[in-house]
């Protein structure tokens, strides 16, 4: 489909300015996961889901242009995409984030699917890799035992609290399982969540090894 190809070219090019240069590979994984969920669920408009996944991070810090909705309207409007589809892609872009989307019963099925895919990419083995990559980029510690991991979870991005990357698991990554929208998303999230729990268990076992002697 020509529009998908053109949008893919635009997004991959526009993300090249991002720090690690890997923002585009996250988008590719989210597109693949979203289409997989769509096929399992047999729900939603495929074209809209693919565009929504491709453009879900347009306007955020990883991206060259900073007004996501305006950029989406400009680009998709230029391709003559149906205005109802454009509105839906804008809505996905605006509502997808962790902090804004916690309880959103009116969410369209397209938003629910893309949001599940984006959240899944922050979980499991890939989520762990992304978290330490992000923490390293910010110069954060992998873990700091002086932090209280049992503090109430952080549910608002406006007051970022994570200092170490292990703390970020407790602020966000371990909460994602319960925020999944679709049955397929819940199933995939269960596996990825369990892997993170096993990972942390081993992490603390290694951190504390010697203490019990
Ligand atoms: P996304 O790219 O999935 O839309 P973000 O831009 O918020 O979401 O985060 C990108 C990645 O960086 C995610 O995997 C997220 O878990 C991770 N990340 C965000 N904040 C932190 C942090 N304080 N410490 C470690 N990793 C983080
Ligand atoms: Ni994303």
């Amino acid at each position: 489909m020509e529009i998908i190809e053109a949008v893919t070219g635009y997004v991959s090019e526009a993300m090249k300015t991002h720090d690690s240069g890997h923002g585009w590979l996250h988008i590719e994984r989210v597109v693949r996961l979203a289409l997989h969920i769509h096929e399992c669920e047999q729900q939603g408009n495929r074209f809209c889901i693919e565009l929504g996944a491709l453009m879900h991070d347009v306007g955020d810090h990883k991206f060259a242009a900073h007004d996501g909705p305006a950029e989406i309207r400009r680009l998709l409007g230029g391709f003559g995409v149906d205005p109802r589809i454009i509105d839906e892609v804008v809505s996905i872009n605006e509502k997808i984030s962790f902090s804004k989307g916690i309880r959103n019963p009116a969410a369209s099925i397209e938003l629910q699917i893309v949001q599940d895919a984006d959240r899944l990419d922050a979980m499991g083995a890939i989520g762990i890799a992304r978290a330490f990559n992000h923490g390293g980029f910010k110069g954060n510690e992998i873990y700091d035992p002086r932090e209280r991991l049992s503090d109430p979870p952080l549910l608002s991005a406006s007051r970022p609290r994570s200092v170490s990357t292990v703390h970020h698991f407790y602020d966000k990554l371990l909460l994602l399982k319960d925020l999944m929208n679709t049955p397929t998303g819940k199933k995939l999230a269960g596996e990825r969540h369990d892997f993170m729990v096993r990972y942390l268990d081993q992490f603390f076992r290694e951190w504390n090894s010697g203490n019990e002697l």
Side-chain angles (χ1 to χ4, degrees):
M1 177 142 227
E2 283 164 34
I3 293 175
I4 295 289
E5 270 170 37
V7 172
T8 298
Y10 167 81
V11 173
S12 59
E13 194 56 37
M15 291 191 104
K16 275 195 180 148
T17 53
H18 174 55
D19 43 64
S20 67
H22 292 116
W24 166 247
L25 298 177
H26 160 67
I27 304 298
E28 264 193 332
R29 291 191 300 271
V30 172
V31 169
R32 250 183 284 133
L33 265 172
L35 292 177
H36 171 74
I37 296 171
H38 163 67
E39 268 153 37
C40 295
E41 298 290 322
Q42 292 287 308
Q43 285 196 71
N45 176 315
R46 185 190 156 98
F47 181 53
C48 190
I49 290 167
E50 191 161 10
L51 282 180
L54 275 168
M55 306 193 93
H56 81 272
D57 276 340
V58 170
D60 95 346
H61 62 280
K62 295 192 278 305
F63 213 79
H66 290 291
D67 184 344
E71 190 65 3
I72 290 168
R73 290 190 189 284
R74 185 188 68 74
L75 194 77
L76 299 187
F79 292 138
V81 173
D82 181 333
R84 282 167 304 183
I85 301 257
I86 299 182
D87 285 344
E88 187 54 44
V89 176
V90 166
S91 160
I92 290 172
N93 177 275
E94 287 177 326
K95 296 181 184 155
I96 194 162
S97 88
F98 177 70
S99 50
K100 289 181 236 163
I102 283 181
R103 287 283 171 254
N104 194 1
S108 68
I109 185 66
E110 288 81 5
L111 168 60
Q112 292 183 36
I113 288 175
V114 178
Q115 192 172 51
D116 278 2
D118 193 36
R119 286 173 171 166
L120 283 165
D121 203 53
M123 303 177 71
I126 287 182
I128 293 170
R130 289 180 74 210
F132 285 104
N133 184 57
H134 183 105
F137 181 73
K138 296 262 172 176
N140 296 344
E141 294 289 353
I142 55 171
Y143 170 56
D144 185 338
R146 291 166 299 186
E147 290 171 355
R148 293 187 17 230
L149 297 175
S150 57
D151 280 351
L154 175 79
L155 293 177
S156 162
S158 62
R159 192 173 56 83
R161 200 191 62 212
S162 307
V163 178
S164 74
T165 299
V166 165
H167 205 176
H168 180 64
F169 283 74
Y170 294 84
D171 280 346
K172 174 176 171 183
L173 306 184
L174 294 173
L175 310 181
L176 295 174
K177 163 177 81 73
D178 293 328
L179 297 175
M180 289 293 144
N181 303 303
T182 65
T184 306
K186 287 193 176 100
K187 181 171 153 285
L188 295 170
E191 292 168 22
R192 292 181 189 217
H193 180 86
D194 292 348
F195 185 78
M196 293 192 294
V197 170
R198 275 190 283 135
Y199 173 79
L200 288 168
D201 185 57
Q202 175 71 14
F203 185 96
F204 287 116
R205 212 192 296 263
E206 292 178 16
W207 193 279
N208 294 319
S209 69
N211 283 357
E212 66 278 3
L213 294 178

